[in-house]
Amino acid sequence: MTYAIDLWTAPALPIAGTSELFPVRRVFCVGRNYVEHQKEMGGDGREQPFFFIKSAHALVPQGGSVHYPPKTANYHYETEMVVAIARRGRRIAARNANEHIFGYAVGLDMTRRDLQQIGKDKGRPWDFGKDFDEAAPCGALAPAARIGHPAKGAIWLTVNGKERQRADLADMIWSVPEQIEYLSQYYTLEPGDLIFSGTPAGVGPVNPGDQLHAGIDGVGELKVTIAPPL
Ligand code: MN
């Protein structure tokens, strides 16, 4: 059998230090996973985090030029550590979660904040606020076999050279193993799945021409320039 239209290539991330690619299946994202970010979004800092999903086709591997998206006037960055799953599992205990992880990267959970707010106000899905073209720039994966499993260390972002976000991975409400334990009760996690593990405080708007530089100590860095709308 052949396909009636051209088959697209799998979304994939480069693996740092190799010529191999990591094919991406699904992109899970945890919301409100840092206390100070909960507070800046209007919460009391005591909420349980939760998940939403972006299309794997929203990935922008290794960043670069990302177009200002349509239908928004409040386009935000969120700097996050991205976790790549390489081994299938369901109902994974947190103590075993690291065995399912291939590696880690720096990602940006780009957000149309105004459209997300409409979703919140009306009790509608967040998709238009979170899942759109080029909404998930992501750097190269650093294999856990090389860097281990980072549970602390600085996560930061500058915009045009000014620091906008700085926190520590240890400030997550749900650690990465706890996220995997929770998520794998609802889904069978599969090789190729990614988890965006939440943003610290300091989120804010960007505009065409802005230069974003994100990093996580021991994991990597990611550079994005906001291009004019298509
Ligand atoms: Mn986020």
Side-chain angles (χ1 to χ4, degrees), residues 103-125:
Y104 301 85
V106 181
L108 287 164
D109 170 17
M110 300 305 293
T111 302
R112 294 190 284 209
R113 193 70 74 198
D114 41 3
L115 300 192
Q116 182 197 28
Q117 188 61 49
I118 290 170
K120 290 180 188 177
D121 291 345
K122 300 195 176 214
R124 291 178 182 166

Side-chain angles (χ1 to χ4, degrees), residues 69-156:
K71 306 298 273 184
T72 184
N74 197 18
Y75 175 50
H76 277 210
Y77 54 79
E78 297 188 356
T79 307
E80 311 201 1
M81 186 166 76
V82 178
V83 183
I85 301 293
R87 202 180 121 198
R88 173 175 292 161
R90 61 176 72 90
R91 294 187 289 279
I92 300 164
R95 68 179 179 280
N96 300 323
N98 286 349
E99 298 167 15
H100 294 262
I101 296 173
F102 176 84
Y104 301 85
V106 181
L108 287 164
D109 170 17
M110 300 305 293
T111 302
R112 294 190 284 209
R113 193 70 74 198
D114 41 3
L115 300 192
Q116 182 197 28
Q117 188 61 49
I118 290 170
K120 290 180 188 177
D121 291 345
K122 300 195 176 214
R124 291 178 182 166
W126 281 16
D127 304 52
F128 279 26
K130 287 291 195 179
D131 185 12
F132 50 91
D133 296 345
E134 302 180 339
C138 190
L141 281 171
R146 182 159 57 79
I147 68 163
H149 295 278
K152 58 181 165 57
I155 176 170
W156 51 267

Side-chain angles (χ1 to χ4, degrees), residues 1 14 16 37 40 63 71 89 91 107-108 125 132 142 160 180 183-184 200 213-214 216 220:
M1 295 292 281
H37 175 59
E40 75 178 345
K71 306 298 273 184
R91 294 187 289 279
L108 287 164
F132 50 91
N160 303 328
I180 290 171
L183 195 55
S184 68
H213 184 189
I216 300 172

